[in-house]
Amino acid sequence: MVNSTYSNVLLTHSRQLLSFAVNATAGMQLYQKAVPQIADIYASSSYYDDLALASIFLGIADSSATYLQLAKTYWDKGALSQGDIALTWDDKHSAIPVLMVEALTSSSSLSSAQDVNVWKTTAEKMLDQIVAADGPGRLTSGGLLYFDGSSDAASLNPALNSAMLLIKYANLATTDSKSKDYLTFAKLQLDYVLGSNPMNMPYVVGINPNSPQNPHSAPASGGSDIGNINTSPMQEAYVLYGAVVGGPDKNDNFWDERRDWVQTEVALDYNAPLLTLVAWKVATDGNDPFYTRLQEGAYAANRPDGTSRPCSNPDVYCPNNDPYSFSQSEQIAVGVILGLGAVAILLMGLWLTYEWQKSMKKGE
């Protein structure tokens, strides 16, 4: 069911927002420059990736070569080809070549707008690097794609987003071998998140007795004593069904501790790609997800020793792990800003899922 009237309203606002950003009277500036209060919490590294993505989405929606050229302008101006290939809430440039190839191959009116082979080379160079897992992303001993730095807080974020790009691009790959490799690697990441990992932990709340019991979420916990997050209340008041937690450390260890937002916080930017990946699995694989094989108590039998992850207390300075030395007030701010900053990836995930479903229907 399509509501074309509402669709046109959204498109109009999208065009207006991009025009506002591009033509800002005071010039474009990083968010923390405009709002200095957030500089020490979740500063942005660039806005060029956001502008390029917005231009591509509008290029696809309007079949506009002009918007695609604008995306290319920001790709070059921001030197985005030199960025980190880990797709996160802050750095989304790795999605740009994938979406550009999709745009150029989706419509005859756009096919000659730019050289699709140049973008394919760029996309596959990045995706091949992800699959090779020999730097900057590497596999943990349990099989999770891990980027030092980008994966240190919410390790499932880059892994799930990378897997999303792989399945989205696979049918556009230049060779069948690449396509197969991309899908195989994406499945490895999805299976890991759904329980095929050393912890026997499906990192999605509420889907299995071994799922996380202590997501870092104020609405779910029902508690109000920030000084005793882990024990107030002892059991969370509500089950946050379907929420993906941050994930394990680089050694595949996970403590399921409510205070430890690095491992247990939930956020849109790693829930969004799971939607795309699960839709893909349902459409292409008749087998049940891995967590259906796990017996109750499987995680408890593999939980690492100790009451919490080293350096998990945000109020205690940890000299070996500076990113985790947040104060309680900063901890709250992180939760709020992470959710807001992830809206772009959520929309991208929904868009990719929608476009993928359309392509499946065309192929039927």
Side-chain angles (χ1 to χ4, degrees):
M1 184 175 180
V2 177
N3 186 333
S4 58
T5 300
Y6 186 54
S7 175
N8 288 331
V9 170
L10 295 177
L11 276 173
T12 296
H13 287 317
S14 296
R15 299 184 194 105
Q16 291 170 339
L17 285 169
L18 180 59
S19 177
F20 173 78
V22 172
N23 301 302
T25 55
M28 291 182 285
Q29 58 181 311
L30 292 172
Y31 183 50
Q32 63 270 22
K33 296 293 184 181
V35 187
Q37 294 85 346
I38 63 93
D40 295 331
I41 304 172
Y42 260 76
S44 175
S45 61
S46 173
Y47 45 73
Y48 287 115
D49 55 338
D50 302 282
L51 293 171
L53 283 173
S55 300
I56 295 174
F57 285 133
L58 282 172
I60 294 173
D62 289 347
S63 294
S64 169
T66 301
Y67 276 126
L68 295 188
Q69 183 55 50
L70 185 61
K72 175 65 163 58
T73 297
Y74 287 124
W75 172 266
D76 293 336
K77 193 171 184 179
L80 298 181
S81 63
Q82 307 302 315
D84 188 353
I85 64 172
L87 175 58
T88 66
W89 68 271
D90 178 43
D91 188 347
K92 297 170 286 294
H93 89 271
S94 55
I96 293 170
V98 171
L99 289 173
M100 189 65 88
V101 172
E102 181 184 39
L104 295 172
T105 56
S106 66
S107 166
S108 57
S109 61
L110 295 177
S111 60
S112 60
Q114 294 184 42
D115 188 345
V116 69
N117 291 321
V118 172
W119 285 106
K120 279 195 170 189
T121 298
T122 302
E124 293 183 12
K125 178 182 178 181
M126 174 191 67
L127 297 177
D128 289 348
Q129 197 173 4
I130 289 173
V131 170
D134 57 2
R138 301 182 186 279
L139 293 180
T140 65
S141 59
L144 177 67
L145 178 65
Y146 197 100
F147 295 86
D148 283 327
S150 297
S151 299
D152 291 345
S155 60
L156 299 184
N157 183 346
L160 284 170
N161 279 298
S162 296
M164 176 181 70
L165 293 182
L166 288 166
I167 67 162
K168 186 58 182 174
Y169 186 85
N171 68 331
L172 301 170
T174 53
T175 68
D176 290 340
S177 176
K178 284 182 183 290
S179 178
K180 181 178 179 181
D181 289 344
Y182 295 164
L183 295 178
T184 298
F185 193 88
K187 184 178 185 300
L188 173 68
Q189 298 310 297
L190 179 60
D191 286 346
Y192 185 103
V193 173
L194 296 181
S196 181
N197 57 66
M199 294 288 98
N200 284 336
M201 161 72 78
Y203 289 103
V204 183
V205 178
I207 64 172
N208 184 270
N210 297 287
S211 292
Q213 302 298 307
N214 294 290
H216 182 92
S217 166
S221 74
S224 58
D225 184 357
I226 194 171
N228 296 285
I229 293 177
N230 286 346
T231 57
S232 178
M234 289 300 298
Q235 181 176 345
E236 297 207 343
Y238 307 101
V239 179
L240 202 59
Y241 289 104
V244 180
V245 297
D249 64 14
K250 65 175 61 179
N251 298 312
D252 300 296
N253 291 321
F254 184 79
W255 279 264
D256 196 16
E257 184 185 19
R258 201 178 304 163
R259 178 187 60 190
D260 188 2
W261 64 266
V262 169
Q263 290 206 330
T264 60
E265 184 157 42
V266 299
L268 296 176
D269 52 333
Y270 33 98
N271 241 110
L274 184 66
L275 300 177
T276 303
L277 291 164
V278 170
W280 164 67
K281 180 173 174 57
V282 169
T284 61
D285 184 352
N287 296 315
D288 288 332
F290 187 88
Y291 64 79
T292 59
R293 311 173 203 174
L294 298 176
Q295 299 298 312
E296 186 171 359
Y299 166 65
N302 289 280
R303 186 184 186 279
D305 294 333
T307 58
S308 64
R309 178 177 62 85
C311 301
S312 67
N313 189 341
D315 299 312
V316 177
Y317 177 69
C318 181
N320 296 323
N321 222 344
D322 288 336
Y324 304 143
S325 58
F326 286 95
S327 67
Q328 289 179 340
S329 60
E330 289 172 332
Q331 181 181 192
I332 297 172
V334 163
V336 174
I337 295 172
L338 187 60
L340 294 175
V343 169
I345 291 183
L346 174 63
L347 294 175
M348 182 168 64
L350 293 172
W351 174 277
L352 293 177
T353 302
Y354 171 70
E355 289 295 322
W356 180 80
Q357 288 175 333
K358 282 204 310 184
S359 67
M360 289 290 293
K361 289 180 181 179
K362 288 181 181 179
E364 291 178 353

